[in-house]
């Protein structure tokens, strides 16, 4: 058997999220189908992050074990031949059999993008949350700062997330105007692990403060109260992208393509 | 009666182009439906440019006549309320009844975007033509220069275009690396009027030269021969956007919203 880990990117608009769901077009099913098109016996994939319906990724990692001896470059070029335009393999490397990227995660960086403008822009609609002015950029920036560090994020997860521990660590965050398009504001959040909807509720809270719908200090108060009622809206999925991921590659990780990946 | 001209933007991916076509989802039909949702008796729209299926626009102009007295701001905000996420009205102004933007056009600027990379990028797939390296940027830039000026562009139109005159004027063109993403190359072409597929055949020819599939000088030779066989491929639609338009607004053009539009 041979273990393979793929670097995967997708535009989430027309996927029902990453995870396998019977009868649904998901990233998992489209990718598995492409792997099988290469003559493989693979029936199970292991993903780094279960991104939601509509959420995008530049840095998803997906591992599987195959009886085929195919070099990394072969997996990348071969799979892209079988994948639709909204899903691509960007890199591959050989890993030990059974490798699960979720348990090797050192950190993930999410970017949530806003279009701050009085008018909608259809060319950005699939990749931004359109918020109307007046949006107070400085208030939003100050608000997100409170998320940095190790906190109990119980107020920042969806009801569907029932994992016992709600403590997480945010290593870094920022709110910046997009250099290429000053109407766009990017919220970046970097951490080791996240709960379901956590980044989207952080973004929704920050936007609610930036728009004056919630008072400055809401995020810190919700961290303290641990009550979902005290945090803000869940920001819609299309603004979110899994932008980067860092893995603790195990011993036995082998040749990669491209070499720089 | 009141004449209205709208500034319209759309992501063309899921539209069968601009023009009215029975049973098809076109920009025309979606926009007309929104106008009618506002209680209007309008049955005909007049567009600046019949963009193809999959082509995007930031600067389409669409005029119509209505018996309703609605201020420009009302048209913009009201129509956007009824439009899907991939289509928006960005501005409006009052114009003389019967105004046709096509006959008032002073110039249009199209941008054709390439992704020059060994690997596909799903987050750009809807907005770029993916061309593989090695792509010779300098050759491509020199090639497009030959299009500037007044020429017979008979070799640069689709067979479906049967207008008698094939002489057109390109005022300006450029090939630049995208500042925000150096993998992307933008071909810009500005002119008073274009034939069907003209920009896409110009782009295809330039890319064929940049990739070494055609010799440098192909574009100039095809202008001279007037033979479609001598020009390059028709570049796919998703890389093209109608980026700007300049109109000769007639006397009687009135209040606009936003005022800066």
């Amino acid at each position: 058997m041979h273990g393979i880990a793929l670097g995967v990117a997708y535009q989430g608009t027309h996927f029902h999220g990453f995870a396998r769901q019977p009868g649904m077009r998901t990233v998992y099913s489209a990718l598995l189908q492409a792997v099988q098109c290469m003559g493989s016996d693979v029936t199970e994939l292991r993903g780094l992050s279960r991104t939601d319906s509509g959420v995008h990724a530049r840095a998803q990692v997906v591992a599987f074990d195959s009886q085929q001896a195919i070099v990394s470059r072969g997996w990348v070029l071969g799979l892209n031949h079988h994948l639709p335009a909204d899903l691509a393999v960007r890199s591959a490397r050989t890993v030990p059999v059974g490798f699960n990227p979720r348990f090797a995660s050192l950190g993930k960086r999410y970017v949530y993008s806003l279009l701050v403008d009085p008018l909608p822009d259809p060319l950005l609609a699939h990749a931004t949350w359109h918020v109307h002015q007046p949006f107070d950029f400085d208030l939003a920036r100050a608000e997100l700062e409170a998320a940095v560090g190790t906190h109990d994020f119980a107020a920042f997860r969806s009801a569907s997330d029932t994992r016992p521990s709600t403590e997480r660590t945010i290593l870094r965050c920022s709110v910046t105007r997009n250099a290429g398009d000053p109407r766009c504001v990017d919220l970046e959040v970097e951490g080791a692990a996240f709960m379901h909807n956590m980044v989207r509720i952080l973004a929704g809270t920050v936007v609610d403060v930036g728009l004056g719908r919630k008072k400055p200090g809401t995020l810190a108060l919700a961290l303290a109260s641990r009550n979902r009622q005290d945090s803000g809206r869940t920001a819609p999925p299309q603004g979110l992208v899994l932008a980067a991921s860092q893995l603790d590659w195990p011993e036995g990780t082998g040749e990669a393509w491209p070499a720089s990946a």
Side-chain angles (χ1 to χ4, degrees), chain A:
Chain A
M1 282 297 246
H2 306 271
I4 310 290
L6 307 171
V8 174
Y10 42 90
Q11 185 174 305
T13 315
H14 300 297
F15 287 107
H16 289 269
F18 177 81
R20 188 174 218 165
Q21 287 180 76
M24 292 298 206
R25 183 181 191 255
T26 71
V27 173
Y28 189 110
S29 62
L31 196 55
L32 183 61
Q33 200 182 338
V35 170
Q36 291 170 346
C37 278
M38 285 181 69
S40 168
D41 52 324
V42 173
T43 57
E44 191 214 39
L45 308 176
R46 296 180 288 274
L48 169 65
S49 184
R50 291 168 58 99
T51 54
D52 286 347
S53 188
V55 171
H56 318 292
R58 294 184 197 284
Q60 177 69 277
V61 181
V62 180
F64 59 90
D65 304 320
S66 170
Q67 292 188 328
Q68 294 171 294
I70 297 176
V71 294
S72 294
R73 184 170 180 273
W75 280 115
V76 175
L77 300 182
L79 287 170
N80 283 329
H81 189 70
H82 296 292
L83 288 170
D86 53 356
L87 173 58
V89 174
R90 302 277 305 170
S91 64
R93 66 182 67 205
T94 60
V95 288
V97 168
F99 172 72
N100 190 329
R102 198 148 63 86
F103 303 136
S105 177
L106 291 176
K108 293 190 273 193
R109 182 160 55 87
Y110 285 95
V111 179
Y112 196 96
S113 297
L114 310 173
L115 169 66
V116 182
D117 200 71
L119 291 170
D121 186 338
L123 294 163
L124 296 174
H126 65 290
T128 57
W129 181 17
H130 178 212
V131 301
H132 298 257
Q133 286 168 307
F135 177 81
D136 191 319
F137 178 81
D138 294 321
L139 274 188
R141 180 141 69 171
E143 190 68 16
L144 189 57
E145 276 304 310
V148 176
T150 300
H151 304 283
D152 188 329
F153 284 93
F156 295 88
R157 64 167 175 176
S158 75
S160 69
D161 189 313
T162 54
R163 283 171 281 188
S165 165
T166 52
E167 193 177 280
R168 296 290 185 276
T169 301
I170 301 288
L171 301 166
R172 218 167 280 112
C173 65
S174 67
V175 179
T176 50
R177 240 169 244 288
N178 188 296
D181 188 337
R183 297 173 302 164
C184 293
V185 172
D186 295 334
L187 282 59
E188 299 202 18
V189 180
E190 198 175 325
F194 296 87
M195 291 181 290
H196 187 225
N197 280 2
M198 180 169 152
V199 178
R200 287 166 58 190
I201 302 172
L202 285 168
T205 304
V206 165
V207 167
D208 279 346
V209 171
L211 290 173
R213 290 167 52 116
K214 293 244 178 210
K215 285 184 191 159
T218 294
L219 201 151
L221 280 171
L223 285 173
S225 78
R226 309 178 61 252
N227 187 342
R228 176 72 185 87
Q229 304 298 318
D230 293 335
S231 52
R233 287 179 280 181
T234 304
Q238 79 277 1
L240 187 61
V241 57
L242 171 57
S245 53
Q246 204 195 338
L247 269 71
D248 181 18
W249 295 105
E251 244 183 275
T253 295
E255 56 94 25
W257 193 86
S260 59

